[in-house]
Amino acid sequence: MPRTALLVCTALFAALLSPTASRAADDPAPVPVDRFEGEVPFGSQPAEGIFTWGSDGDDPPALRLAARADAPEGEKVLAGTYDISGYGGFTHDFAANAPAHDWSAHKGIRLWWDGQGNAKKVSFEIKDGGADGEASELWTTSFTDDFTGWKQIEIPFTDFTYRTDYQPVGGIDQVLGLDRMWGYAVTLPVGLKGQFAMDDVELYGKADQSLRAGVVADAAVHPVAEGGTAHVKLSVATTGSAPIEEPVTVAYESAGGTAESGKDYTPVKGEFTFPAGTASGASRTISVATRKDRSAENAETVPLKLTVTGAKAPTESPQVVINAHGLPYLNAKVPLKKRVADLVGRMSLEEKAGQMTQAERGALTSQGDIAAYDLGSLLSGGGSTPTPNTPAAWAKMIDAFQLRAQATRFQIPLIYGVDAVHGHNNLTGATIMPHNIGIGASRDPQVAYRAGAVTASEVRSTGIPWDFAPCLCVTRDERWGRSYESFGEDPALVTSMETVIQGLQGRADGKDLSRNDKVLATAKHFVGDGGTEYGSSTTGSYTIDQGVTKVTRQQLEAVHLAPYKTAVDRGIGSVMPSYSSLDILGDGQGPVKMHARADMINGVLKDRMGFDGFVISDWQAIDQIPGDYASDVRTSVNAGLDMIMVPYAYKDFRTTLVDEVKAGRISERRIDDAVSRILTQKFRLGLFEKPYADTSGAARIGSPAHRAVAREAAAKSQVLLKNSGGVLPLRKSQKVYVAGSNADDLGNQTGGWTITWQGSSGKNTDGTTILEGMRKAVGSAGSGGGVTYSKDASAPTSGYDVGVVVVGETPYAEGVGDVGNGNDLELTAADKAAVDKVCGAMKCAVLIVSGRPQLIGDRLGDIDALVASWLPGTEGDGVADVLYGKRPFTGQLPVTWPKSESQLPINVGDSSYAPQFPYGWGLTTLTKVPQGGATTLKALAAVARAAEKTGADDTGRATVTKARLLVQQAAAASDVTPDFAKPFADADHLLLTGRYAEAVRELQEAYATASG
């Protein structure tokens, strides 16, 4: 007999003899779910299929259907290989357009697994309830691969636990109904390069009522004022909402906790029964009366121990919490510093360490960990959203987290944070603003302010009081994948856009933070993240992001530190250090990770600049500090970090921090300072008085008024680089041929950090594409005009007055977008072909939708009009507004537009400066450009001198703008030479620093070059 056949026989014989494999006479026959013989395709929703997923491009496993002679069932098995650094696995989703599966008659699910003996856990999840596989509850369990060869793994449905980190918020019903199943998922081991094989997934056994019915509490925590009565509602819930078939008995008793029975509350004990035939959803209430005395006290807990017969008990015992009362820190009339000092003085070291800990909401092993570890903060990383992704779901989710914090001694509320970097960009339907690069192009501080105000309003309306924005990086190399997060390459431009801080926070003294439309802002990434040297990154395949910034002390102060001084003066509430390293030439330290630089965080930011907010680390950033984990914690906290973003390692971090303090390696004074800074902002935000979401402003999310702000920002961000023959603005009467990959793609238009971390092409939220905006702009008013769209320009091109080709980048975020990491600054072959075809057939305007300049010089001669559209957000109407002349083009380049990649880095102020278009360049439409040449410039110079002398800034700026438009027009008809470009760019920097007379002098020099 062949060895493979012998293995099969042996395995099957053993299975037949196994008690777990045998079937009782009254058990239903096993029901196949997957045989892996090819009956289920590889593919995802809405069709049925098996698909892979992972935390990055390398983490999804490689799957195949493999023919194996030792297959436990049939001829093929599902096999694969994996090498996962973050997380990865695969899912079998049932078709969303077909009825869900009913598994309620069975005891559990089983499968054959080809053991590798690696002792690693394999997570197995099932999808229950909801609309489909992407909007269902997840229930999870695991088994350990501690064997070799084929083994049948049996998993009773009673082993599955509800995944609290994955929403539907609060659960669809938090009952494993089993009658609306949408598939299963397997999460493979991390940190191991391995292989796997599985076969014959099937349902087995007969279900009993304890599986089909459960007792659930209305909440896990029931806060009540001292002297009040808490009412805990317990309900029976069944699969499919059918009446229970057998009685369900619940015995209850108040036991344990920190409250004293008979003194703080009246003890309760009893039993009740839901009779057979009771409807699903029926409830009974247990009331716990608390007793009032005259003493001030911290919060005390009264757990209810439940014993359930005939149904599944709640996953955790509900508890009553007698609220803290009478303590000075709870009194809003007490001065802020005294409230903080009073609370800090009461806290244990463990509680303080908890306040310094921030976890990703999806990483909580249990919501009870919030109280168990005294967590101070949670966050949603990019794409970490509730299901459904709605404002109400966000608010309900965060309120549930805040409720858990009420079970701590001092009921210190959580501060929840998100990366709302261009609007509430994690939320479907929110108003998405242009990315910062476009806001910088607007040159309008009021645009930045209003964008911040809209963002704050929408974020706070979902219960979130903290935004990890704005990014105050000064981008110095367009190969950087985060270029679009910067307002520009000139620190003066970045500083001028910091009005966004007041839009987010309100007044600099922090007195507006408690409003329901303001959030705590975060200046990031301190310091020098925009100046990293190409090729210096050591993070994965990144080339420049998270690399090394090499600067002199003078360059550091003038370029990278300058925006932070302004931010501190504006009252910024928190600061986030950079992943990158800083190498200050001549200081003898070499490159040091910013999260470890005490000289910069403690010395410059806190001591010299006087920053009184708190410093929050970046995502797992302390792990990049050299040394072991204890060293990472010690070094970062001693360097001045106050709260550490440890998304998955929150338990280890808290324990390690406590150990380091007890060992004397971190001082208690440092801990008290950190906690005081954190609590100060929580008090300013009004979280102690109102920890839960104020959703009264939720109707404003994505509202016409908010979208109007984003539309204006999009319009003002458009930079007209070339306009030969006055092709723009378009006229409604013209027949317009539209082409290009980014004309009708909302995801490309919004870029990275939109709904998910990396963003995605296609319709990912609510908004208007550029093409849709153009069609709306034309409406029915065009006599003989109209818009025709052909993405790849394959439609006939004859008979049109003008073409508009919208090209550029697809979404990316952070180092994933670094040039050299699978990216460059060239248009795709398809985009180039579309430009060539359309511009070869008619007058044309090319719009570049991108997070940074694209190399276009080789086609510039064939293009009549060229527009840098950046990443305009959800409001394509704003782009159409300038294309059709509803608004003028007024944007200016926030970064230098290079001729070639070999020029990079190239920035305003460089001694050698030969760009395609200089910093500050931006033609205009609908605006009368001053005439008179050198004579007019001379007169404007005199006005600029007077304005600068008298401090008339509005006049000074307007004067320099007139001079710029005059000079720019002179150069538009000729090549932009290096001799022209340098003084032209320098003039814009001088304008932003208030040196109006010098700016006009530079423009006079540029004009002499262009007209000479």
Side-chain angles (χ1 to χ4, degrees), residues 713-737:
K716 288 188 173 181
S717 73
Q718 303 299 293
V719 180
L720 184 58
L721 299 173
K722 180 181 179 180
N723 195 23
S724 179
V727 168
L728 295 177
L730 304 172
R731 298 185 301 278
K732 292 182 179 181
S733 60
Q734 290 177 307
K735 293 185 68 176
V736 181
Y737 185 102

Side-chain angles (χ1 to χ4, degrees), residues 328-336 338-339 689:
Y329 78 87
L330 294 170
N331 187 350
K333 295 180 181 179
V334 171
L336 176 58
K338 289 186 177 181
R339 294 182 76 182
E689 289 71 42

